[in-house]
Amino acid sequence: MRKDFLQLKEYIDASHKAVAVTGAGISYMYGMRRFKMTVGRMNAGRVFSADYVRKHPEDFYRIMRDSFLDATFVKGPSKVHRQLAELERQGKLYGVVTQNLDCLHTLAGSKNVAEFQGSFQDNVCVDCGERYTDCNIWNQGYMPRCAKCGGPIMPATFCRDIRSEESQAGMRKAIRMISEADLVIVIGTTGFRSDEYMSGMKRGTKIVQINPAATEFDSIADLNVRADAAEALAYVLGE
């Protein structure tokens, strides 16, 4: 038996408030494409604007579908997403802090999720500003349109013309969750924006990293588990 898997299980069993921190690796591993691979030479600043969406709504939808939506609604949550949801259901995980926009944690069944970059659950009409807080508007096979004015809709976090209060609230929630945690389990992230949400972590909180590769968390982790997350979490859950 791997000693690091056993240590991971012991940490989780002993924890009263464990929080998982997930990043892009947990999604790319299971079919999510990087945005830059989809847009090629297109300028992200130009695509992520209300003006671009007004003029090219179908192109914008294609980019979203190729980069995110097919993986979210066709492939669906991965085993790791479902394992984290099960840990929460069993009371072994307080919640998830994620940089990902794809809503896969929520679709997998996780209830306490802080999406600190926003997500496809926070959307805005680029014409009238009406807000839509449901990721399923992107699961219709076509560009979502505003029920009020018919204008095209885009995720608020992508819109450089509109500040996403939901995204700001997500970061505040992430900071609060990390500050309350006694165990932080880092999965699939190299440390993107980690200073913002990890800075309030209380003294004595243990950090476990599950990642096949080295990251900036290596030097601060109490335990580095060099393995696929699904394999490590399967041991914890007795699968």
Side-chain angles (χ1 to χ4, degrees), residues 106-200:
T106 299
L107 292 174
S110 291
K111 305 298 183 185
N112 190 21
V113 182
E115 297 163 320
F116 67 78
Q117 286 202 105
S119 75
F120 281 88
Q121 296 194 95
D122 178 30
N123 306 283
V124 61
C125 171
V126 300
D127 286 345
C128 73
E130 188 77 4
R131 300 298 274 265
Y132 294 87
T133 55
D134 182 4
C135 66
N136 287 303
I137 66 171
W138 295 97
N139 191 24
Q140 304 174 91
Y142 52 84
M143 179 71 179
R145 292 278 178 172
C146 179
K148 185 176 179 180
C149 74
I153 293 171
M154 70 182 299
T157 192
F158 284 168
C159 186
R160 296 182 183 276
D161 310 315
I162 302 170
R163 285 191 174 274
S164 173
E165 173 58 28
E166 191 73 17
S167 179
Q168 296 172 31
M171 179 57 85
R172 289 194 295 270
K173 182 178 180 180
I175 293 170
R176 177 180 58 79
M177 288 173 65
I178 294 295
S179 70
E180 295 174 354
D182 60 6
L183 173 64
V184 175
I185 307 167
V186 181
I187 305 173
T189 179
T190 58
F192 177 74
R193 294 180 70 178
S194 60
D195 287 347
E196 293 178 74
Y197 57 79
M198 296 287 277
S199 59

Side-chain angles (χ1 to χ4, degrees), residues 8 11-12 15 17-20 181-185 205-208:
L8 170 64
Y11 278 170
I12 291 175
S15 171
K17 218 166 203 180
V19 172
D182 60 6
L183 173 64
V184 175
I185 307 167
T205 297
K206 286 185 168 57
I207 300 175
V208 174

